[in-house]
Amino acid sequence: MSLATPVVIGNWKMNGLRADGLARAEALRDRLARAPGEGTLGICPPATLLAPIADRIGEHGLLLGGQDCSSALKGAHTGDISAEMLKDLGCDLVIVGHSERRHGHGEDDALVRAKAEAALKAGLDVILCIGETEEEWQAGGTTEVLDRQIEGSLPAAAAAGHLIVAYEPVWAIGTGRTPSTVDIGRTHAHIRSRLVDLVPGGARVRLLYGGSVKAGNAGEIMAAGEVDGVLVGGASLDADGFWAIFEAGRAGARSSPAGA
Ligand code: PEP
């Protein structure tokens, strides 16, 4: 899969039953069909909705992803879902290392790396989430935390074309607060330099910002340096608002000197 900028991915988290989830996915599928063009739009619904959504969205360009996967390939792991199962359902990608997994389920860098490796092995693209807590941010420790997470959770043999890194400050997720666009640009530039050091073709890894993105701030966030797109939680639960975020990114890409 080749990802065009802007890359806008919705993380529905544990939200959505069949009726509203399918309606939202179909609305996005139809909008994309009516307005094809630059950019990459994707959704990560709850695991329960992946199969019916995969059946409905078909080959219309809307990407489908899981929110997590097991580090194991198969076997006695009650309740877990393997990367191969996601691929088999029609997923294109999977999120690993989301802060709600790192902090809510005690996932460390080594486990996140193992999940990312399992996903790549299954043929999925990986969205690797990193980000500092409020305490770490207040203490000025952001780059140190990010360096540790990047070094600890980057999959071995990561290929730039199949890796997306999402910088998601934990204190910005679901809070309505965001870093300034200057800070986002500065932090993304730092992440980019680490990726260039560590990943062959690191300059081409897609770098997303996530944390309280909505239609009203998406344009300026996506205009910040080294921001290739956004990972969106709450605001992805409304098809109109999510589409407006994508359109803001597309408008920015059209007006940037580099184009899309
Ligand atoms: C997220 O959880 O990945 C996220 C970015 O959430 P929100 O947009 O709701 O802050």
Side-chain angles (χ1 to χ4, degrees):
M1 179 200 332
S2 142
L3 300 171
T5 304
V7 179
V8 175
I9 307 290
N11 172 13
W12 294 3
K13 311 192 187 193
M14 199 172 71
N15 294 293
L17 299 179
R18 283 179 69 88
D20 60 307
L22 290 179
R24 192 182 309 130
E26 285 174 351
L28 293 168
R29 173 202 66 191
D30 293 347
R31 279 184 188 246
L32 206 51
R34 281 199 304 272
E38 64 277 89
T40 303
L41 188 67
I43 51 173
C44 299
T48 49
L49 293 181
L50 288 170
I53 288 178
D55 287 345
R56 307 287 173 99
I57 63 177
E59 300 295 315
H60 288 79
L62 180 64
L63 299 189
L64 186 63
Q67 298 174 10
D68 184 37
C69 68
S70 174
S71 60
L73 301 186
K74 63 194 287 190
H77 302 281
T78 303
D80 287 354
I81 298 174
S82 75
E84 191 183 20
M85 290 169 179
L86 294 177
K87 181 74 181 173
D88 186 49
L89 282 179
C91 286
D92 304 287
L93 48 86
V94 64
I95 298 171
V96 299
H98 191 280
S99 70
E100 287 151 18
R101 304 295 316 174
R102 287 180 185 268
H103 299 287
H105 293 260
E107 296 192 1
D108 62 12
D109 285 330
L111 180 59
V112 174
R113 165 181 276 160
K115 289 184 173 199
E117 288 174 353
L120 291 172
K121 192 165 182 190
L124 295 171
D125 283 1
V126 167
I127 302 181
L128 171 64
C129 297
I130 55 175
E132 81 285 3
T133 63
E134 171 132 40
E135 216 170 46
E136 291 161 340
W137 175 61
Q138 299 280 11
T142 299
T143 52
E144 194 186 315
V145 171
L146 297 179
D147 286 353
R148 196 175 62 234
Q149 292 179 336
I150 291 168
E151 273 153 42
S153 54
L154 257 189
H162 297 288
L163 177 68
I164 302 162
V165 172
Y167 167 55
E168 299 206 301
V170 180
W171 53 271
I173 294 180
T175 61
R177 296 158 64 208
T178 61
S180 69
T181 52
V182 172
D183 281 348
I184 292 173
R186 194 180 291 139
T187 305
H188 275 228
H190 177 79
I191 297 168
R192 173 70 68 204
S193 73
R194 298 304 296 131
L195 292 173
V196 167
D197 289 344
L198 296 168
V199 180
R204 288 184 295 107
V205 172
R206 300 295 163 163
L207 200 39
L208 312 186
Y209 167 79
S212 295
V213 175
K214 45 190 187 301
N217 62 13
E220 57 175 341
I221 288 174
M222 281 189 266
E226 299 291 351
V227 178
D228 297 313
V230 286
L231 180 56
V232 185
S236 71
L237 296 176
D238 169 61
D240 290 341
F242 187 53
W243 182 260
I245 291 171
F246 186 49
E247 279 294 308
R250 280 179 153 184
R254 279 194 295 270
S255 65
S256 93

